[in-house]
Amino acid sequence: MIKILFDWFINLLLMLFLFSKRNKNIWLFGSWNGETYNDNSKYLFEYVVENFPSIEAVWITKNSQIKKKLLFENKQCYLSNEFIARKLRMSAGIVFFTNGISDIGNYDLSHGCKKIALWHGMPLKKLHYATNSIKNRKNIFRCLQYFFLKLYHGTDRNITIATSERTKDLLIESFEVQPESVVITGQPRNDVLFDQNLSNKLKIKLHHKPDERFILYIPTWREFGQQERYLETIIEALYKDVFFMNELKERNIKLYIKPHPRVIIKSQSNENVIIINSLLRIDTQELLAAADTIVTDYSSVFIDYALLDRPIHFFVPDLDNYKKNGNDLFLNFEEFSEYNFTDLTSFKKCVIDNEELFSLQGLRNCVKINSIFNSPFLAKGKYCKTVIDTLENNNILTTSF
């Protein structure tokens, strides 16, 4: 807590400085507090490197392995605490992040540049200023919290991307930004959903045969309870069901389970149930692209997956508890879910049953999701291009610094 308060105070002081003249041709990228190379920043970074040679695109990280990997790929990358990285942070014209300015360093040296919030998924759960505790401000502590967040917050931005008019409204409420600063472009990471070559490579990596069904179970993070035990209990119950395991084998079904990155699972994979842990280093978007069907809960990945027009199933055994103990949801579950189930028996039937009913229900979920979260006016597989074109059309990329 002391470290957090110290960093906040330093960043507040740094707001007094507009570091040197900004170079509009230097663009910095980072993701997930500088610890990962993934998500929207990764895909837009690679797009810019490939298509805009006049732009000095640089990835900033806190992870030496990421730096080693990107340098090997002949891409510019520096550790955030290196002298040259600090110099770039003080001179770059544009910064792209997924979580906040801490994606490129603990201390905010970006004052005076344009900050583009690519974020890490569209909001389903209430965020930041929209959370009940901050929005209602029923006590002096919450009032002070709101006041200090307004003084300085690491998620402050000039532009925010959205995927539809509805998600635009939710982002405006979450971050209390002006409507004109939120642009509907789609998410850069979703270009990969339409890259069949990447999907085929992943299946080869996973030894997934062409005649096997690819079912992906991808639950979200929970703010309450024992994270690991929640998923472990489900996996253990599946493993103990001999009939279910035999049906997976007989029907040529592979069930891939992708825990949230912050959840560590001890259960091991078997022949037909594969646990996708962090050691496999598999990008979530590539998993989505490969999946024939997904089963999820409150994870916003279903918004991405709906773009593929494939069945989506909701397994929500703890819906009431989640709404009570989490940050709550922006929408009632029924608003975007045509149907869902809460018991493990229905989960198993959904995975192994090829009846048309389950597929049809999953597709109805997909249609409903797209009607809310994904604009029909955006070109599928062209989201990186749309982001750059939109920023250019709004004079973000050409403004003098």
Side-chain angles (χ1 to χ4, degrees):
M1 177 60 73
I2 294 176
K3 176 69 164 57
I4 293 173
L5 291 174
F6 177 79
D7 288 351
W8 179 88
F9 182 71
I10 294 298
N11 282 325
L12 183 65
L13 291 179
L14 288 171
M15 290 179 66
L16 300 174
F17 301 92
L18 294 178
F19 295 102
S20 65
K21 184 173 180 178
R22 295 284 171 174
N23 186 334
K24 66 181 180 181
N25 291 321
I26 298 177
W27 298 2
L28 303 186
F29 298 79
S31 68
W32 287 90
N33 202 37
E35 299 295 342
T36 66
Y37 180 64
N38 62 3
D39 224 304
N40 285 314
S41 289
K42 168 191 171 181
Y43 290 104
L44 191 62
F45 171 66
E46 293 182 349
Y47 176 82
V48 171
V49 168
E50 183 176 349
N51 294 281
F52 296 88
S54 63
I55 297 298
E56 186 177 356
V58 184
W59 188 271
I60 305 295
T61 183
K62 300 172 187 174
N63 188 320
S64 59
Q65 292 303 310
I66 291 175
K67 177 184 177 182
K68 183 178 179 180
K69 174 185 183 296
L70 293 182
L71 291 180
F72 180 78
E73 296 174 358
N74 203 29
K75 297 182 176 75
Q76 275 203 78
C77 179
Y78 299 102
L79 297 177
S80 60
N81 60 1
E82 291 183 279
F83 174 77
I84 189 168
R86 291 194 178 107
K87 185 177 179 181
L88 286 167
R89 287 158 60 195
M90 290 190 289
S91 61
I94 299 179
V95 171
F96 296 89
F97 61 74
T98 61
N99 291 52
I101 204 63
S102 63
D103 290 355
I104 63 168
N106 291 336
Y107 300 117
D108 191 349
L109 305 179
S110 62
H111 300 296
C113 79
K114 295 292 188 295
K115 299 176 184 177
I116 315 298
L118 303 174
W119 211 235
H120 49 274
M122 291 298 103
L124 173 63
K125 294 165 281 189
K126 291 183 178 179
L127 304 169
H128 294 274
Y129 299 117
T131 57
N132 294 336
S133 59
I134 296 179
K135 189 173 183 177
N136 296 332
R137 299 194 288 281
K138 293 182 178 180
N139 56 53
I140 187 64
F141 172 76
R142 294 303 181 188
C143 290
L144 287 172
Q145 183 183 19
Y146 180 81
F147 173 74
F148 286 118
L149 287 175
K150 280 297 186 178
L151 280 179
Y152 173 80
H153 196 272
T155 63
D156 293 342
R157 74 284 302 280
N158 298 96
I159 295 291
T160 306
I161 69 166
T163 58
S164 69
E165 290 292 344
R166 190 64 177 274
T167 59
K168 176 177 179 175
D169 291 339
L170 300 181
L171 287 162
I172 291 170
E173 182 178 350
S174 292
F175 299 103
E176 295 192 349
V177 292
Q178 294 302 311
E180 60 269 20
S181 73
V182 183
V183 293
I184 299 173
T185 63
Q187 299 184 86
R189 70 186 189 186
N190 286 335
D191 283 353
V192 75
L193 297 180
F194 303 92
D195 189 332
Q196 191 61 49
N197 289 330
L198 279 178
S199 179
N200 292 337
K201 287 178 182 178
L202 175 62
K203 289 180 179 180
I204 292 172
K205 180 178 180 178
L206 293 172
H207 306 291
H208 186 89
K209 299 175 183 176
D211 62 340
E212 294 175 325
R213 289 180 64 211
F214 193 123
I215 309 296
L216 176 63
Y217 175 43
I218 182 164
T220 192
W221 169 260
R222 285 157 170 75
E223 300 287 349
F224 57 92
Q226 293 181 312
Q227 294 288 331
E228 287 76 12
R229 284 310 306 160
Y230 172 82
L231 187 52
E232 289 279 14
T233 300
I234 292 172
I235 295 172
E236 288 169 5
L238 295 178
Y239 282 179
K240 288 178 182 177
D241 189 331
V242 177
F243 174 79
F244 175 73
M245 299 307 296
N246 285 338
E247 285 295 296
L248 290 180
K249 187 173 183 178
E250 289 295 321
R251 295 171 183 255
N252 275 345
I253 299 171
K254 288 289 181 68
L255 174 61
Y256 295 89
I257 300 178
K258 175 69 170 66
H260 189 278
R262 288 188 279 178
V263 176
I264 307 300
I265 297 299
K266 294 180 180 178
S267 296
Q268 301 297 310
S269 301
N270 62 28
E271 185 179 355
N272 288 88
V273 179
I274 296 88
I275 313 295
I276 306 293
N277 58 43
S278 58
L279 295 177
L280 292 177
R281 297 185 179 181
I282 294 176
D283 193 295
T284 298
Q285 301 308 109
E286 294 178 21
L287 277 173
L288 293 176
D292 297 313
T293 299
I294 69 165
V295 182
T296 186
D297 42 34
Y298 326 104
S299 172
S300 64
V301 296
F302 68 75
I303 299 173
D304 302 46
Y305 189 74
L307 292 166
L308 293 170
D309 298 316
R310 297 175 191 168
I312 298 170
H313 304 280
F314 291 105
F315 175 45
V316 287
D318 59 348
L319 179 58
D320 291 338
N321 200 26
Y322 185 89
K323 293 171 70 174
K324 179 181 177 181
N325 295 286
N327 284 338
D328 207 350
L329 305 176
F330 270 118
L331 309 175
N332 292 324
F333 211 77
E334 294 72 21
E335 289 186 64
F336 57 85
S337 167
E338 184 76 17
Y339 93 107
N340 60 74
F341 45 85
T342 60
D343 59 291
L344 196 58
T345 299
S346 295
F347 174 90
K348 295 172 188 175
K349 286 183 178 180
C350 172
V351 172
I352 65 175
D353 206 326
N354 286 314
E355 287 186 9
E356 186 175 328
L357 175 62
F358 272 102
S359 178
L360 182 60
Q361 288 174 327
L363 288 173
R364 284 174 177 168
N365 278 341
C366 180
V367 170
K368 203 164 189 178
I369 292 162
N370 279 327
S371 70
I372 297 171
F373 294 103
N374 293 313
S375 171
F377 304 110
L378 297 174
K380 291 184 176 182
K382 302 290 184 182
Y383 302 113
C384 284
K385 183 179 186 303
T386 302
V387 168
I388 299 300
D389 288 349
T390 302
L391 293 177
E392 191 169 26
N393 292 338
N394 284 272
N395 297 319
I396 299 299
L397 307 182
T398 56
T399 302
S400 299
F401 296 92

PDB file of all heavy atoms in Angstrom, residues 260-277:
ATOM      1  N   HIS A 260      -8.052 -18.502 -16.110  1.00  0.00           N
ATOM      2  CA  HIS A 260      -7.635 -17.105 -16.131  1.00  0.00           C
ATOM      3  C   HIS A 260      -6.141 -17.047 -15.819  1.00  0.00           C
ATOM      4  O   HIS A 260      -5.622 -17.859 -15.035  1.00  0.00           O
ATOM      5  CB  HIS A 260      -8.433 -16.314 -15.087  1.00  0.00           C
ATOM      6  CG  HIS A 260      -8.234 -14.842 -15.177  1.00  0.00           C
ATOM      7  ND1 HIS A 260      -7.151 -14.209 -14.604  1.00  0.00           N
ATOM      8  CD2 HIS A 260      -8.969 -13.861 -15.772  1.00  0.00           C
ATOM      9  CE1 HIS A 260      -7.223 -12.916 -14.834  1.00  0.00           C
ATOM     10  NE2 HIS A 260      -8.311 -12.672 -15.546  1.00  0.00           N
ATOM     11  N   PRO A 261      -5.399 -16.095 -16.420  1.00  0.00           N
ATOM     12  CA  PRO A 261      -3.945 -16.025 -16.200  1.00  0.00           C
ATOM     13  C   PRO A 261      -3.524 -15.963 -14.736  1.00  0.00           C
ATOM     14  O   PRO A 261      -2.428 -16.406 -14.381  1.00  0.00           O
ATOM     15  CB  PRO A 261      -3.553 -14.729 -16.927  1.00  0.00           C
ATOM     16  CG  PRO A 261      -4.585 -14.571 -17.988  1.00  0.00           C
ATOM     17  CD  PRO A 261      -5.854 -15.098 -17.407  1.00  0.00           C
ATOM     18  N   ARG A 262      -4.392 -15.431 -13.865  1.00  0.00           N
ATOM     19  CA  ARG A 262      -4.033 -15.322 -12.453  1.00  0.00           C
ATOM     20  C   ARG A 262      -4.388 -16.566 -11.639  1.00  0.00           C
ATOM     21  O   ARG A 262      -4.145 -16.622 -10.439  1.00  0.00           O
ATOM     22  CB  ARG A 262      -4.718 -14.098 -11.831  1.00  0.00           C
ATOM     23  CG  ARG A 262      -4.122 -12.775 -12.287  1.00  0.00           C
ATOM     24  CD  ARG A 262      -4.703 -11.609 -11.491  1.00  0.00           C
ATOM     25  NE  ARG A 262      -5.999 -11.208 -11.994  1.00  0.00           N
ATOM     26  CZ  ARG A 262      -6.740 -10.244 -11.454  1.00  0.00           C
ATOM     27  NH1 ARG A 262      -6.321  -9.604 -10.388  1.00  0.00           N
ATOM     28  NH2 ARG A 262      -7.912  -9.921 -11.977  1.00  0.00           N
ATOM     29  N   VAL A 263      -4.958 -17.567 -12.295  1.00  0.00           N
ATOM     30  CA  VAL A 263      -5.371 -18.789 -11.603  1.00  0.00           C
ATOM     31  C   VAL A 263      -4.416 -19.926 -11.947  1.00  0.00           C
ATOM     32  O   VAL A 263      -4.184 -20.223 -13.121  1.00  0.00           O
ATOM     33  CB  VAL A 263      -6.814 -19.179 -11.989  1.00  0.00           C
ATOM     34  CG1 VAL A 263      -7.191 -20.503 -11.353  1.00  0.00           C
ATOM     35  CG2 VAL A 263      -7.781 -18.082 -11.560  1.00  0.00           C
ATOM     36  N   ILE A 264      -3.852 -20.563 -10.923  1.00  0.00           N
ATOM     37  CA  ILE A 264      -2.932 -21.682 -11.101  1.00  0.00           C
ATOM     38  C   ILE A 264      -3.666 -22.985 -10.809  1.00  0.00           C
ATOM     39  O   ILE A 264      -4.206 -23.173  -9.716  1.00  0.00           O
ATOM     40  CB  ILE A 264      -1.702 -21.567 -10.164  1.00  0.00           C
ATOM     41  CG1 ILE A 264      -1.025 -20.206 -10.337  1.00  0.00           C
ATOM     42  CG2 ILE A 264      -0.723 -22.710 -10.438  1.00  0.00           C
ATOM     43  CD1 ILE A 264      -0.526 -19.940 -11.723  1.00  0.00           C
ATOM     44  N   ILE A 265      -3.682 -23.881 -11.790  1.00  0.00           N
ATOM     45  CA  ILE A 265      -4.394 -25.149 -11.674  1.00  0.00           C
ATOM     46  C   ILE A 265      -3.401 -26.300 -11.518  1.00  0.00           C
ATOM     47  O   ILE A 265      -2.435 -26.414 -12.277  1.00  0.00           O
ATOM     48  CB  ILE A 265      -5.281 -25.388 -12.918  1.00  0.00           C
ATOM     49  CG1 ILE A 265      -6.360 -24.317 -13.014  1.00  0.00           C
ATOM     50  CG2 ILE A 265      -5.925 -26.774 -12.875  1.00  0.00           C
ATOM     51  CD1 ILE A 265      -7.308 -24.280 -11.850  1.00  0.00           C
ATOM     52  N   LYS A 266      -3.658 -27.164 -10.536  1.00  0.00           N
ATOM     53  CA  LYS A 266      -2.779 -28.317 -10.302  1.00  0.00           C
ATOM     54  C   LYS A 266      -3.181 -29.529 -11.138  1.00  0.00           C
ATOM     55  O   LYS A 266      -2.358 -30.408 -11.396  1.00  0.00           O
ATOM     56  CB  LYS A 266      -2.797 -28.688  -8.816  1.00  0.00           C
ATOM     57  CG  LYS A 266      -2.193 -27.618  -7.906  1.00  0.00           C
ATOM     58  CD  LYS A 266      -2.235 -28.054  -6.450  1.00  0.00           C
ATOM     59  CE  LYS A 266      -1.638 -26.972  -5.553  1.00  0.00           C
ATOM     60  NZ  LYS A 266      -1.707 -27.356  -4.117  1.00  0.00           N
ATOM     61  N   SER A 267      -4.429 -29.602 -11.530  1.00  0.00           N
ATOM     62  CA  SER A 267      -4.901 -30.739 -12.324  1.00  0.00           C
ATOM     63  C   SER A 267      -4.094 -30.857 -13.614  1.00  0.00           C
ATOM     64  O   SER A 267      -3.710 -29.857 -14.223  1.00  0.00           O
ATOM     65  CB  SER A 267      -6.378 -30.575 -12.669  1.00  0.00           C
ATOM     66  OG  SER A 267      -7.175 -30.595 -11.513  1.00  0.00           O
ATOM     67  N   GLN A 268      -3.865 -32.095 -14.026  1.00  0.00           N
ATOM     68  CA  GLN A 268      -3.098 -32.363 -15.231  1.00  0.00           C
ATOM     69  C   GLN A 268      -4.015 -32.741 -16.394  1.00  0.00           C
ATOM     70  O   GLN A 268      -5.121 -33.255 -16.192  1.00  0.00           O
ATOM     71  CB  GLN A 268      -2.101 -33.497 -14.973  1.00  0.00           C
ATOM     72  CG  GLN A 268      -1.107 -33.218 -13.857  1.00  0.00           C
ATOM     73  CD  GLN A 268      -0.203 -32.036 -14.174  1.00  0.00           C
ATOM     74  OE1 GLN A 268       0.375 -31.973 -15.253  1.00  0.00           O
ATOM     75  NE2 GLN A 268      -0.102 -31.099 -13.231  1.00  0.00           N
ATOM     76  N   SER A 269      -3.548 -32.501 -17.593  1.00  0.00           N
ATOM     77  CA  SER A 269      -4.300 -32.874 -18.788  1.00  0.00           C
ATOM     78  C   SER A 269      -4.361 -34.389 -18.924  1.00  0.00           C
ATOM     79  O   SER A 269      -3.510 -35.115 -18.394  1.00  0.00           O
ATOM     80  CB  SER A 269      -3.641 -32.282 -20.032  1.00  0.00           C
ATOM     81  OG  SER A 269      -3.576 -30.878 -19.965  1.00  0.00           O
ATOM     82  N   ASN A 270      -5.383 -34.858 -19.625  1.00  0.00           N
ATOM     83  CA  ASN A 270      -5.399 -36.261 -20.025  1.00  0.00           C
ATOM     84  C   ASN A 270      -5.652 -36.331 -21.530  1.00  0.00           C
ATOM     85  O   ASN A 270      -5.508 -35.321 -22.229  1.00  0.00           O
ATOM     86  CB  ASN A 270      -6.429 -37.060 -19.212  1.00  0.00           C
ATOM     87  CG  ASN A 270      -7.854 -36.589 -19.416  1.00  0.00           C
ATOM     88  OD1 ASN A 270      -8.210 -36.059 -20.471  1.00  0.00           O
ATOM     89  ND2 ASN A 270      -8.692 -36.760 -18.401  1.00  0.00           N
ATOM     90  N   GLU A 271      -6.032 -37.458 -22.025  1.00  0.00           N
ATOM     91  CA  GLU A 271      -6.128 -37.647 -23.470  1.00  0.00           C
ATOM     92  C   GLU A 271      -7.138 -36.722 -24.135  1.00  0.00           C
ATOM     93  O   GLU A 271      -6.900 -36.222 -25.248  1.00  0.00           O
ATOM     94  CB  GLU A 271      -6.503 -39.106 -23.774  1.00  0.00           C
ATOM     95  CG  GLU A 271      -6.518 -39.433 -25.260  1.00  0.00           C
ATOM     96  CD  GLU A 271      -6.872 -40.890 -25.542  1.00  0.00           C
ATOM     97  OE1 GLU A 271      -7.018 -41.661 -24.572  1.00  0.00           O
ATOM     98  OE2 GLU A 271      -7.010 -41.236 -26.732  1.00  0.00           O
ATOM     99  N   ASN A 272      -8.246 -36.476 -23.462  1.00  0.00           N
ATOM    100  CA  ASN A 272      -9.313 -35.693 -24.091  1.00  0.00           C
ATOM    101  C   ASN A 272      -9.643 -34.383 -23.386  1.00  0.00           C
ATOM    102  O   ASN A 272     -10.470 -33.610 -23.880  1.00  0.00           O
ATOM    103  CB  ASN A 272     -10.587 -36.534 -24.201  1.00  0.00           C
ATOM    104  CG  ASN A 272     -10.464 -37.615 -25.248  1.00  0.00           C
ATOM    105  OD1 ASN A 272     -10.010 -38.715 -24.970  1.00  0.00           O
ATOM    106  ND2 ASN A 272     -10.854 -37.287 -26.470  1.00  0.00           N
ATOM    107  N   VAL A 273      -9.014 -34.114 -22.256  1.00  0.00           N
ATOM    108  CA  VAL A 273      -9.177 -32.835 -21.560  1.00  0.00           C
ATOM    109  C   VAL A 273      -7.800 -32.210 -21.411  1.00  0.00           C
ATOM    110  O   VAL A 273      -6.921 -32.773 -20.753  1.00  0.00           O
ATOM    111  CB  VAL A 273      -9.831 -33.006 -20.176  1.00  0.00           C
ATOM    112  CG1 VAL A 273      -9.952 -31.653 -19.475  1.00  0.00           C
ATOM    113  CG2 VAL A 273     -11.200 -33.664 -20.301  1.00  0.00           C
ATOM    114  N   ILE A 274      -7.618 -31.077 -22.042  1.00  0.00           N
ATOM    115  CA  ILE A 274      -6.297 -30.434 -22.074  1.00  0.00           C
ATOM    116  C   ILE A 274      -6.367 -29.109 -21.323  1.00  0.00           C
ATOM    117  O   ILE A 274      -7.177 -28.244 -21.658  1.00  0.00           O
ATOM    118  CB  ILE A 274      -5.824 -30.194 -23.530  1.00  0.00           C
ATOM    119  CG1 ILE A 274      -5.633 -31.536 -24.246  1.00  0.00           C
ATOM    120  CG2 ILE A 274      -4.517 -29.410 -23.541  1.00  0.00           C
ATOM    121  CD1 ILE A 274      -6.857 -32.068 -24.919  1.00  0.00           C
ATOM    122  N   ILE A 275      -5.511 -28.989 -20.298  1.00  0.00           N
ATOM    123  CA  ILE A 275      -5.433 -27.757 -19.522  1.00  0.00           C
ATOM    124  C   ILE A 275      -4.423 -26.830 -20.200  1.00  0.00           C
ATOM    125  O   ILE A 275      -3.248 -27.168 -20.340  1.00  0.00           O
ATOM    126  CB  ILE A 275      -4.985 -28.024 -18.069  1.00  0.00           C
ATOM    127  CG1 ILE A 275      -5.772 -29.187 -17.452  1.00  0.00           C
ATOM    128  CG2 ILE A 275      -5.108 -26.743 -17.236  1.00  0.00           C
ATOM    129  CD1 ILE A 275      -7.236 -28.924 -17.286  1.00  0.00           C
ATOM    130  N   ILE A 276      -4.876 -25.671 -20.622  1.00  0.00           N
ATOM    131  CA  ILE A 276      -3.997 -24.706 -21.278  1.00  0.00           C
ATOM    132  C   ILE A 276      -3.442 -23.757 -20.216  1.00  0.00           C
ATOM    133  O   ILE A 276      -4.043 -22.742 -19.877  1.00  0.00           O
ATOM    134  CB  ILE A 276      -4.749 -23.893 -22.360  1.00  0.00           C
ATOM    135  CG1 ILE A 276      -5.436 -24.823 -23.353  1.00  0.00           C
ATOM    136  CG2 ILE A 276      -3.789 -22.943 -23.079  1.00  0.00           C
ATOM    137  CD1 ILE A 276      -4.510 -25.616 -24.208  1.00  0.00           C
ATOM    138  N   ASN A 277      -2.284 -24.107 -19.659  1.00  0.00           N
ATOM    139  CA  ASN A 277      -1.695 -23.242 -18.637  1.00  0.00           C
ATOM    140  C   ASN A 277      -0.711 -22.262 -19.273  1.00  0.00           C
ATOM    141  O   ASN A 277      -0.424 -22.313 -20.471  1.00  0.00           O
ATOM    142  CB  ASN A 277      -1.014 -24.068 -17.541  1.00  0.00           C
ATOM    143  CG  ASN A 277       0.072 -24.986 -18.095  1.00  0.00           C
ATOM    144  OD1 ASN A 277       0.859 -24.580 -18.939  1.00  0.00           O
ATOM    145  ND2 ASN A 277       0.112 -26.218 -17.618  1.00  0.00           N
TER     146      ASN A 277
END
